[in-house]
Short mmCIF file of all heavy atoms in Angstrom, two decimals:
data_model
loop_
_atom_site.label_atom_id
_atom_site.label_comp_id
_atom_site.label_asym_id
_atom_site.label_seq_id
_atom_site.Cartn_x
_atom_site.Cartn_y
_atom_site.Cartn_z
N ILE S 6 37.12 14.42 -7.38
CA ILE S 6 36.33 14.89 -6.26
C ILE S 6 37.02 16.13 -5.72
O ILE S 6 38.20 16.07 -5.39
CB ILE S 6 36.22 13.80 -5.16
CG1 ILE S 6 35.52 12.57 -5.74
CG2 ILE S 6 35.46 14.34 -3.96
CD1 ILE S 6 35.55 11.38 -4.79
N LEU S 9 34.95 18.23 -1.30
CA LEU S 9 33.60 17.77 -1.01
C LEU S 9 33.31 17.84 0.50
O LEU S 9 34.11 17.36 1.31
CB LEU S 9 33.48 16.31 -1.46
CG LEU S 9 32.12 15.83 -1.91
CD1 LEU S 9 31.62 16.67 -3.06
CD2 LEU S 9 32.21 14.38 -2.33
N ALA S 23 29.70 14.63 7.86
CA ALA S 23 30.02 13.31 7.32
C ALA S 23 31.26 13.39 6.45
O ALA S 23 32.06 12.45 6.40
CB ALA S 23 28.84 12.78 6.53
N LEU S 24 31.43 14.49 5.76
CA LEU S 24 32.60 14.68 4.90
C LEU S 24 33.11 16.10 5.09
O LEU S 24 32.31 17.04 5.19
CB LEU S 24 32.24 14.51 3.43
CG LEU S 24 31.91 13.10 2.92
CD1 LEU S 24 31.59 13.19 1.44
CD2 LEU S 24 33.06 12.16 3.17
N LEU S 27 36.92 17.02 1.24
CA LEU S 27 37.58 15.83 0.69
C LEU S 27 37.88 16.05 -0.80
O LEU S 27 36.98 16.36 -1.57
CB LEU S 27 36.68 14.61 0.89
CG LEU S 27 37.30 13.27 0.56
CD1 LEU S 27 36.98 12.29 1.65
CD2 LEU S 27 36.86 12.77 -0.77
N GLY S 38 41.97 2.15 -4.10
CA GLY S 38 41.29 1.61 -2.92
C GLY S 38 40.94 2.74 -1.97
O GLY S 38 41.75 3.64 -1.73
N PHE S 39 39.76 2.69 -1.47
CA PHE S 39 39.29 3.73 -0.56
C PHE S 39 39.09 3.06 0.79
O PHE S 39 38.13 2.32 1.01
CB PHE S 39 37.98 4.28 -1.11
CG PHE S 39 37.60 5.62 -0.58
CD1 PHE S 39 38.55 6.60 -0.36
CD2 PHE S 39 36.26 5.93 -0.35
CE1 PHE S 39 38.19 7.85 0.11
CE2 PHE S 39 35.89 7.18 0.11
CZ PHE S 39 36.86 8.14 0.33
N LEU S 40 40.05 3.30 1.67
CA LEU S 40 40.12 2.54 2.90
C LEU S 40 39.68 3.40 4.07
O LEU S 40 40.04 4.56 4.17
CB LEU S 40 41.58 2.07 3.10
CG LEU S 40 41.90 1.14 4.25
CD1 LEU S 40 41.20 -0.18 4.07
CD2 LEU S 40 43.42 0.93 4.31
N GLY S 41 38.91 2.81 4.96
CA GLY S 41 38.51 3.58 6.14
C GLY S 41 37.70 2.72 7.06
O GLY S 41 37.11 1.73 6.64
N PRO S 42 37.69 3.08 8.35
CA PRO S 42 36.88 2.31 9.28
C PRO S 42 35.38 2.52 8.99
O PRO S 42 35.02 3.40 8.22
CB PRO S 42 37.26 2.87 10.66
CG PRO S 42 37.84 4.22 10.38
CD PRO S 42 38.37 4.20 9.00
N ASN S 43 34.56 1.72 9.66
CA ASN S 43 33.10 1.89 9.46
C ASN S 43 32.68 3.29 9.89
O ASN S 43 33.16 3.79 10.90
CB ASN S 43 32.34 0.86 10.30
CG ASN S 43 32.56 -0.54 9.78
OD1 ASN S 43 32.73 -0.74 8.57
ND2 ASN S 43 32.61 -1.51 10.67
N GLY S 44 31.82 3.88 9.10
CA GLY S 44 31.31 5.20 9.45
C GLY S 44 32.27 6.33 9.18
O GLY S 44 32.09 7.44 9.68
N ALA S 45 33.29 6.08 8.36
CA ALA S 45 34.28 7.12 8.10
C ALA S 45 33.82 8.09 7.03
O ALA S 45 34.31 9.21 6.93
CB ALA S 45 35.60 6.49 7.68
N GLY S 46 32.83 7.67 6.22
CA GLY S 46 32.35 8.52 5.13
C GLY S 46 32.63 7.95 3.76
O GLY S 46 32.46 8.64 2.76
N LYS S 47 33.00 6.67 3.72
CA LYS S 47 33.26 6.04 2.41
C LYS S 47 32.00 6.02 1.55
O LYS S 47 32.00 6.45 0.41
CB LYS S 47 33.75 4.60 2.60
CG LYS S 47 35.03 4.45 3.35
CD LYS S 47 35.52 3.01 3.32
CE LYS S 47 34.58 2.04 3.98
NZ LYS S 47 34.69 1.91 5.42
N SER S 48 30.90 5.51 2.16
CA SER S 48 29.67 5.39 1.38
C SER S 48 29.09 6.75 1.03
O SER S 48 28.55 6.94 -0.06
CB SER S 48 28.63 4.58 2.17
OG SER S 48 28.95 3.23 2.07
N THR S 49 29.24 7.71 1.95
CA THR S 49 28.76 9.05 1.65
C THR S 49 29.48 9.62 0.44
O THR S 49 28.85 10.19 -0.47
CB THR S 49 28.97 9.97 2.87
OG1 THR S 49 28.39 9.35 4.01
CG2 THR S 49 28.35 11.32 2.66
N THR S 50 30.80 9.40 0.40
CA THR S 50 31.56 9.89 -0.75
C THR S 50 31.06 9.22 -2.03
O THR S 50 30.78 9.90 -3.04
CB THR S 50 33.05 9.53 -0.57
OG1 THR S 50 33.45 9.93 0.72
CG2 THR S 50 33.90 10.20 -1.62
N ILE S 51 30.89 7.89 -1.97
CA ILE S 51 30.50 7.18 -3.17
C ILE S 51 29.10 7.59 -3.62
O ILE S 51 28.81 7.80 -4.79
CB ILE S 51 30.61 5.66 -2.92
CG1 ILE S 51 32.08 5.30 -2.88
CG2 ILE S 51 29.88 4.90 -4.01
CD1 ILE S 51 32.37 3.85 -2.65
N LYS S 52 28.19 7.75 -2.64
CA LYS S 52 26.83 8.15 -3.00
C LYS S 52 26.79 9.54 -3.61
O LYS S 52 25.97 9.83 -4.45
CB LYS S 52 25.92 8.08 -1.78
CG LYS S 52 25.46 6.65 -1.50
CD LYS S 52 24.65 6.58 -0.26
CE LYS S 52 24.28 5.13 0.07
NZ LYS S 52 23.84 4.99 1.44
N THR S 53 27.68 10.40 -3.13
CA THR S 53 27.74 11.73 -3.72
C THR S 53 28.23 11.64 -5.16
O THR S 53 27.70 12.30 -6.05
CB THR S 53 28.69 12.63 -2.90
OG1 THR S 53 28.39 12.45 -1.54
CG2 THR S 53 28.53 14.07 -3.27
N VAL S 54 29.23 10.80 -5.36
CA VAL S 54 29.77 10.61 -6.71
C VAL S 54 28.68 10.09 -7.63
O VAL S 54 28.58 10.48 -8.80
CB VAL S 54 30.96 9.64 -6.67
CG1 VAL S 54 31.33 9.20 -8.07
CG2 VAL S 54 32.15 10.29 -5.98
N ILE S 58 23.36 11.71 -3.26
CA ILE S 58 23.37 12.67 -2.16
C ILE S 58 23.92 13.98 -2.71
O ILE S 58 24.86 13.97 -3.52
CB ILE S 58 24.30 12.16 -1.02
CG1 ILE S 58 23.66 10.97 -0.33
CG2 ILE S 58 24.56 13.27 -0.01
CD1 ILE S 58 24.52 10.40 0.78
N TYR S 83 28.26 0.56 -11.31
CA TYR S 83 28.19 0.88 -9.89
C TYR S 83 27.64 -0.29 -9.10
O TYR S 83 26.59 -0.84 -9.43
CB TYR S 83 27.30 2.13 -9.71
CG TYR S 83 26.95 2.45 -8.27
CD1 TYR S 83 27.94 2.62 -7.31
CD2 TYR S 83 25.62 2.62 -7.89
CE1 TYR S 83 27.63 2.93 -6.01
CE2 TYR S 83 25.29 2.94 -6.58
CZ TYR S 83 26.30 3.09 -5.63
OH TYR S 83 25.98 3.41 -4.34
N GLU S 86 26.62 -0.56 -1.69
CA GLU S 86 26.93 -1.36 -0.52
C GLU S 86 25.71 -2.20 -0.17
O GLU S 86 24.60 -1.71 -0.20
CB GLU S 86 27.24 -0.39 0.63
CG GLU S 86 27.68 -1.08 1.89
CD GLU S 86 27.85 -0.06 3.01
OE1 GLU S 86 27.40 1.09 2.85
OE2 GLU S 86 28.42 -0.44 4.05
N VAL S 160 32.71 1.75 -9.92
CA VAL S 160 32.63 2.30 -8.57
C VAL S 160 31.99 1.21 -7.72
O VAL S 160 30.82 0.90 -7.89
CB VAL S 160 31.80 3.60 -8.55
CG1 VAL S 160 31.66 4.08 -7.12
CG2 VAL S 160 32.42 4.67 -9.41
N LEU S 161 32.80 0.64 -6.83
CA LEU S 161 32.32 -0.52 -6.08
C LEU S 161 32.37 -0.21 -4.60
O LEU S 161 33.43 0.11 -4.06
CB LEU S 161 33.17 -1.75 -6.39
CG LEU S 161 33.46 -2.03 -7.87
CD1 LEU S 161 34.45 -3.17 -8.02
CD2 LEU S 161 32.20 -2.33 -8.64
N ASP S 162 31.20 -0.26 -3.95
CA ASP S 162 31.15 0.03 -2.53
C ASP S 162 31.19 -1.29 -1.77
O ASP S 162 30.23 -2.06 -1.82
CB ASP S 162 29.87 0.81 -2.22
CG ASP S 162 29.96 1.54 -0.88
OD1 ASP S 162 30.90 1.26 -0.13
OD2 ASP S 162 29.07 2.37 -0.61
N GLU S 163 32.28 -1.57 -1.12
CA GLU S 163 32.48 -2.81 -0.37
C GLU S 163 32.17 -4.04 -1.22
O GLU S 163 31.28 -4.82 -0.89
CB GLU S 163 31.57 -2.83 0.86
CG GLU S 163 31.68 -1.62 1.75
CD GLU S 163 32.65 -1.82 2.90
OE1 GLU S 163 33.29 -2.87 2.96
OE2 GLU S 163 32.79 -0.89 3.71
N PRO S 164 32.90 -4.23 -2.30
CA PRO S 164 32.55 -5.34 -3.22
C PRO S 164 32.74 -6.72 -2.60
O PRO S 164 32.14 -7.67 -3.04
CB PRO S 164 33.51 -5.13 -4.40
CG PRO S 164 34.63 -4.37 -3.84
CD PRO S 164 34.07 -3.50 -2.76
N PHE S 191 37.42 2.11 -8.72
CA PHE S 191 37.42 2.86 -7.47
C PHE S 191 36.59 2.04 -6.49
O PHE S 191 35.39 1.87 -6.71
CB PHE S 191 36.80 4.24 -7.70
CG PHE S 191 36.67 5.08 -6.45
CD1 PHE S 191 37.78 5.55 -5.79
CD2 PHE S 191 35.42 5.41 -5.97
CE1 PHE S 191 37.65 6.34 -4.66
CE2 PHE S 191 35.27 6.19 -4.83
CZ PHE S 191 36.40 6.66 -4.18
N PHE S 192 37.23 1.49 -5.48
CA PHE S 192 36.40 0.68 -4.58
C PHE S 192 36.71 0.97 -3.11
O PHE S 192 37.83 1.38 -2.77
CB PHE S 192 36.50 -0.81 -4.90
CG PHE S 192 37.71 -1.51 -4.41
CD1 PHE S 192 37.72 -2.14 -3.16
CD2 PHE S 192 38.84 -1.59 -5.20
CE1 PHE S 192 38.85 -2.82 -2.73
CE2 PHE S 192 39.97 -2.27 -4.77
CZ PHE S 192 39.97 -2.87 -3.52
N SER S 193 35.72 0.81 -2.30
CA SER S 193 35.90 1.09 -0.88
C SER S 193 35.96 -0.22 -0.13
O SER S 193 35.41 -1.23 -0.56
CB SER S 193 34.72 1.91 -0.37
OG SER S 193 33.60 1.07 -0.21
N THR S 194 36.66 -0.19 0.98
CA THR S 194 36.73 -1.40 1.81
C THR S 194 37.24 -1.00 3.19
O THR S 194 37.76 0.08 3.37
CB THR S 194 37.70 -2.44 1.17
OG1 THR S 194 37.72 -3.59 1.99
CG2 THR S 194 39.10 -1.89 1.06
N HIS S 195 37.05 -1.88 4.14
CA HIS S 195 37.71 -1.64 5.42
C HIS S 195 38.68 -2.76 5.72
O HIS S 195 39.13 -2.94 6.84
CB HIS S 195 36.66 -1.46 6.53
CG HIS S 195 35.69 -2.60 6.64
ND1 HIS S 195 34.47 -2.57 6.04
CD2 HIS S 195 35.82 -3.79 7.24
CE1 HIS S 195 33.84 -3.69 6.29
NE2 HIS S 195 34.64 -4.47 7.01
N ILE S 196 38.94 -3.54 4.70
CA ILE S 196 39.85 -4.69 4.88
C ILE S 196 41.17 -4.38 4.17
O ILE S 196 41.23 -4.25 2.95
CB ILE S 196 39.20 -5.96 4.34
CG1 ILE S 196 37.92 -6.22 5.12
CG2 ILE S 196 40.16 -7.14 4.45
CD1 ILE S 196 36.99 -7.16 4.46
N ILE S 200 43.37 -4.35 -0.18
CA ILE S 200 44.06 -3.25 -0.82
C ILE S 200 45.43 -3.69 -1.35
O ILE S 200 45.79 -3.46 -2.50
CB ILE S 200 44.26 -2.09 0.19
CG1 ILE S 200 42.92 -1.59 0.72
CG2 ILE S 200 45.09 -0.98 -0.41
CD1 ILE S 200 42.25 -0.57 -0.10
N GLY S 208 43.55 5.56 -0.75
CA GLY S 208 43.23 6.77 0.00
C GLY S 208 42.65 6.33 1.33
O GLY S 208 41.85 5.39 1.38
N ILE S 209 43.11 6.94 2.40
CA ILE S 209 42.61 6.53 3.71
C ILE S 209 41.75 7.63 4.28
O ILE S 209 42.14 8.80 4.32
CB ILE S 209 43.77 6.17 4.65
CG1 ILE S 209 44.50 4.95 4.07
CG2 ILE S 209 43.26 5.87 6.05
CD1 ILE S 209 45.67 4.51 4.87
N ILE S 210 40.54 7.25 4.66
CA ILE S 210 39.58 8.24 5.16
C ILE S 210 39.22 7.87 6.59
O ILE S 210 39.06 6.70 6.93
CB ILE S 210 38.33 8.29 4.25
CG1 ILE S 210 37.36 9.38 4.73
CG2 ILE S 210 37.65 6.97 4.14
CD1 ILE S 210 36.18 9.58 3.80
N ALA S 211 39.15 8.90 7.44
CA ALA S 211 38.70 8.68 8.81
C ALA S 211 37.92 9.91 9.24
O ALA S 211 38.35 11.04 9.00
CB ALA S 211 39.90 8.43 9.74
N LYS S 212 36.79 9.69 9.86
CA LYS S 212 35.94 10.77 10.35
C LYS S 212 35.70 11.86 9.30
O LYS S 212 35.76 13.05 9.57
CB LYS S 212 36.55 11.39 11.60
CG LYS S 212 36.59 10.38 12.73
CD LYS S 212 36.51 11.05 14.07
CE LYS S 212 36.31 10.01 15.14
NZ LYS S 212 36.95 10.42 16.39
N GLY S 213 35.43 11.42 8.08
CA GLY S 213 35.05 12.38 7.04
C GLY S 213 36.21 13.13 6.42
O GLY S 213 36.00 14.00 5.59
N ARG S 214 37.43 12.84 6.83
CA ARG S 214 38.60 13.56 6.28
C ARG S 214 39.49 12.56 5.56
O ARG S 214 39.70 11.46 6.04
CB ARG S 214 39.40 14.18 7.40
CG ARG S 214 39.02 15.61 7.66
CD ARG S 214 39.96 16.09 8.72
NE ARG S 214 39.21 16.29 9.95
CZ ARG S 214 39.01 17.48 10.47
NH1 ARG S 214 39.49 18.55 9.88
NH2 ARG S 214 38.32 17.61 11.58
N LEU S 215 40.05 13.01 4.44
CA LEU S 215 41.01 12.17 3.74
C LEU S 215 42.35 12.32 4.46
O LEU S 215 42.93 13.41 4.52
CB LEU S 215 41.12 12.62 2.29
CG LEU S 215 41.85 11.65 1.38
CD1 LEU S 215 41.12 10.34 1.26
CD2 LEU S 215 42.05 12.26 0.01
N PHE S 280 47.61 1.67 8.30
CA PHE S 280 46.25 2.15 8.43
C PHE S 280 45.94 2.47 9.90
O PHE S 280 45.45 3.55 10.24
CB PHE S 280 45.31 1.08 7.89
CG PHE S 280 43.86 1.32 8.15
CD1 PHE S 280 43.22 2.41 7.59
CD2 PHE S 280 43.12 0.44 8.94
CE1 PHE S 280 41.89 2.63 7.82
CE2 PHE S 280 41.79 0.66 9.17
CZ PHE S 280 41.17 1.76 8.62
#
Side-chain angles (χ1 to χ4, degrees):
Chain S
I6 298 172
L9 209 59
L24 289 180
L27 189 135
F39 199 38
L40 185 64
N43 292 328
K47 298 188 298 277
S48 282
T49 307
T50 312
I51 288 181
K52 279 177 184 163
T53 314
V54 168
I58 290 179
Y83 170 55
E86 184 185 12
V160 177
L161 313 174
D162 199 349
E163 307 266 3
F191 176 67
F192 79 92
S193 76
T194 181
H195 55 264
I196 299 163
I200 300 274
I209 296 179
I210 183 174
K212 295 208 171 148
R214 266 184 250 247
L215 192 65
F280 171 64

